[in-house]
Amino acid sequence: MRGAMHEATVLYDRDCGFCRWTLAQILAWDRAKRLRPVPIQSEEGQRLLARVPEAERLESWHLVTPDGAVKSAAEGFPGLFSRLPAGAPIARLTALLQGPSSVGYRLLVANRTRLGRRISQERRDRATEALDAHERAARAAAAA
């Protein structure tokens, strides 16, 4: 169930420190709480990604809209950024430049372990706490 305030679900790799940290930064930008984080590895994550081949689920992040549409990796950038304050120009740019956006995303993913090592354990722990708080708030809103 989605809380009324959420417009999309962001599925992420819970075991990736860089992924957790990056999503925590995006959620800090999401002051209107339009995005709801859900780990890909969770039961809900697996259900939401049922149409995505299992081998591809952890290869990228995914944006799931209320109608059940799934956009993955760079293809999800326009929908993600359009939901963030002042993100419309980035959304348009990533929609127009899908090729370069995809190349950039693939480079990022190929180096996420190396990049993750540059983020202190303290920052990764704070990111995990922030994601946990968002998930608790989303569950509470859905239950209300």
Side-chain angles (χ1 to χ4, degrees):
M1 227 41 230
R2 283 178 199 68
M5 66 183 156
H6 296 103
E7 294 179 9
T9 301
V10 178
L11 292 140
Y12 68 99
D13 181 353
R14 180 76 178 185
D15 297 332
C16 170
F18 180 74
C19 303
R20 289 191 314 270
W21 180 83
T22 302
L23 182 55
Q25 305 316 300
I26 290 167
L27 293 174
W29 185 1
D30 179 29
R31 294 184 302 275
K33 306 288 187 234
R34 293 179 172 159
L35 304 172
R36 187 173 66 99
V38 172
I40 293 169
Q41 297 91 332
S42 70
E43 185 178 308
E44 182 180 8
Q46 294 299 301
R47 182 179 53 75
L48 290 170
L49 295 175
R51 291 178 290 177
V52 174
E54 194 169 344
E56 296 174 17
R57 293 177 189 172
L58 285 168
E59 288 182 3
S60 67
W61 72 282
H62 311 274
L63 183 76
V64 181
T65 55
D67 64 0
V70 178
K71 302 288 185 182
S72 303
E75 188 178 79
F77 288 158
L80 175 75
F81 289 113
S82 69
R83 289 173 168 85
L84 296 172
I90 300 170
R92 285 192 298 276
L93 189 63
T94 57
L96 288 171
L97 301 173
Q98 270 296 293
S101 294
S102 292
V103 169
Y105 181 76
R106 284 194 304 269
L107 280 169
L108 187 70
V109 168
N111 292 289
R112 71 183 184 167
T113 300
R114 186 176 316 134
L115 292 167
R117 283 190 222 122
R118 295 182 176 271
I119 301 167
S120 72
Q121 186 62 49
E122 180 183 348
R123 285 182 165 177
R124 284 182 285 180
D125 290 345
R126 281 197 312 258
T128 300
E129 290 169 12
L131 291 173
D132 290 345
H134 272 82
E135 290 171 25
R136 282 191 303 275
R139 282 193 300 274

